[in-house]
Amino acid sequence: MKKMLMIVNPLAGKNKSRGPLYDAAAELSEAGYALSIHNTAGPGDAYSYVLRYGNQFDAVTAAGGDGTLNETASGLLELQNPPPLLYLPQGSTNDFAASLHIPLNPPEAASIIRANSIKYLDAGQWNHRHFIYIASFGAFTRSSYAAPQASKNALGHFAYILEGMRDLESLRPYQIHLTADGECLDGEYLFGAICNSTSVGGIMKLEKARVILDDGLFELLLIPNPKNPLDLQNIMMSLVNQEYENLIFRHVSSVSLETRENLPWSLDGEYAPSAARVEIQNRRQALAMFLP
């Protein structure tokens, strides 16, 4: 019988019934896995636990929100020969699960493992940290990590919207020196995202045809500072219609960013402090996952 480490965030989706998660565990047992379940004790626990024990298992499951997925995958990405990862979404937005067509029902998501279909996805390295599907800065970035867990449990995606509305009060441009695959893109930006997902923060969508999850390339989206109300209107229409001529949109493998401003980041919805220089690299097909 194969051994599986199951990382569970007990706070994610706390208002949801635990029954489906138990059913998912039963599904994994019936598929031939002996489960070792670890309930996380707080931020950073999933990462350190996987880093310490992950190589002792044939597979690892992350049951929680995007933050739990990030920590679990980050631990795996630092192992020499990491086992494949299964994701059971339990969070409020589950952006990456939507991109991967993973069912939001835990038993259905667990049943993916029966096909033993393992795919290798790109991952991102942000200085010395990892992200799985998005690193972002600027407008609405704070809302992804600042929404209280109790609000996310009670209100779901609406909690992020409320937190994002608070960000409007501090909406401002950031002066940035940015180079992407050798192209200089210096300027003033309201928002920037380096992502490998069709959903950005549950608010912004990218066309599926533009996003390939294992090609060694990120999707770089930059929203420039509008010079007048007409510019702002054109930018908003571009976002709504997924037409990027008024934005900056590129497929890139690396990004180098420098700024003198205080520029906090969000990595898969988790806070990352401002850094004077940020180096982002695509680690092509570094993460093995069980997928439909």
Side-chain angles (χ1 to χ4, degrees):
M1 181 173 279
K2 296 180 179 180
K3 296 189 298 180
M4 173 179 284
L5 172 62
M6 189 173 184
I7 300 292
V8 178
N9 180 357
L11 296 180
K14 194 173 181 181
N15 290 345
K16 298 178 181 178
S17 168
R18 297 285 95 180
L21 203 55
Y22 299 141
D23 293 339
E27 176 71 26
L28 296 173
S29 296
E30 291 173 9
Y33 286 89
L35 297 182
S36 177
I37 299 175
H38 176 71
N39 287 307
T40 58
D45 184 58
Y47 165 77
S48 58
Y49 197 89
V50 170
L51 187 61
R52 184 173 182 181
Y53 299 109
N55 267 338
Q56 300 178 18
F57 296 86
D58 299 294
V60 173
T61 292
D66 290 343
T68 306
L69 174 66
N70 172 274
E71 284 197 28
T72 303
S74 294
L76 289 172
L77 287 166
E78 294 194 24
L79 299 177
Q80 283 283 355
N81 296 296
L85 174 65
L86 177 69
Y87 182 34
L88 306 182
Q90 285 280 285
S92 305
T93 56
N94 305 305
D95 284 334
F96 201 46
S99 292
L100 298 173
H101 307 291
I102 296 175
L104 298 184
N105 178 268
E108 290 181 32
S111 69
I112 292 172
I113 206 163
R114 290 185 178 272
N116 200 36
S117 175
I118 298 175
K119 298 178 182 178
Y120 292 83
L121 306 180
D122 298 344
Q125 184 155 344
W126 183 96
N127 286 353
H128 299 296
R129 290 178 60 174
H130 289 94
F131 64 95
I132 311 308
Y133 72 93
I134 184 171
S136 65
F137 64 83
F140 306 114
T141 293
R142 178 182 171 277
S143 63
S144 64
Y145 58 76
Q149 185 65 52
S151 296
K152 290 190 282 188
N153 289 337
L155 302 174
H157 176 61
F158 189 60
Y160 292 92
I161 301 297
L162 290 176
E163 200 65 36
M165 290 172 66
R166 296 183 187 180
D167 274 358
L168 288 174
E169 299 175 1
S170 58
L171 184 65
R172 68 177 185 84
Y174 295 87
Q175 183 67 46
I176 290 169
H177 173 68
L178 189 150
T179 304
D181 284 356
E183 180 185 6
C184 180
L185 296 171
D186 294 358
E188 287 191 332
Y189 297 106
L190 298 178
F191 174 83
I194 301 94
C195 58
N196 197 38
S197 170
T198 58
S199 178
V200 181
I203 300 172
M204 193 181 304
K205 302 292 181 181
L206 299 179
E207 293 175 347
K208 292 182 180 180
R210 292 178 178 262
V211 180
I212 302 174
L213 303 180
D214 60 356
D215 62 352
L217 298 174
F218 295 121
E219 283 61 55
L220 169 66
L221 179 66
L222 299 171
I223 300 180
N225 183 34
K227 297 186 174 85
N228 52 58
L230 181 59
D231 272 358
L232 178 59
Q233 180 180 341
N234 289 335
I235 287 172
M236 296 305 295
M237 290 302 297
S238 293
L239 292 173
V240 170
N241 297 324
Q242 298 181 9
E243 298 171 349
Y244 305 119
E245 63 267 20
N246 295 302
L247 311 173
I248 293 176
F249 186 83
R250 301 285 192 276
H251 299 283
V252 299
S253 61
S254 65
V255 173
S256 177
L257 185 149
E258 295 180 37
T259 183
R260 295 182 178 179
E261 302 194 47
N262 181 28
L263 184 67
W265 288 73
S266 172
L267 307 181
D268 298 337
E270 300 298 298
Y271 172 76
S274 179
R277 183 180 180 89
V278 171
E279 297 289 343
I280 296 174
Q281 298 289 332
N282 185 293
R283 293 185 57 187
R284 186 175 188 186
Q285 300 181 11
L287 182 66
M289 288 192 71
F290 294 99
L291 293 177

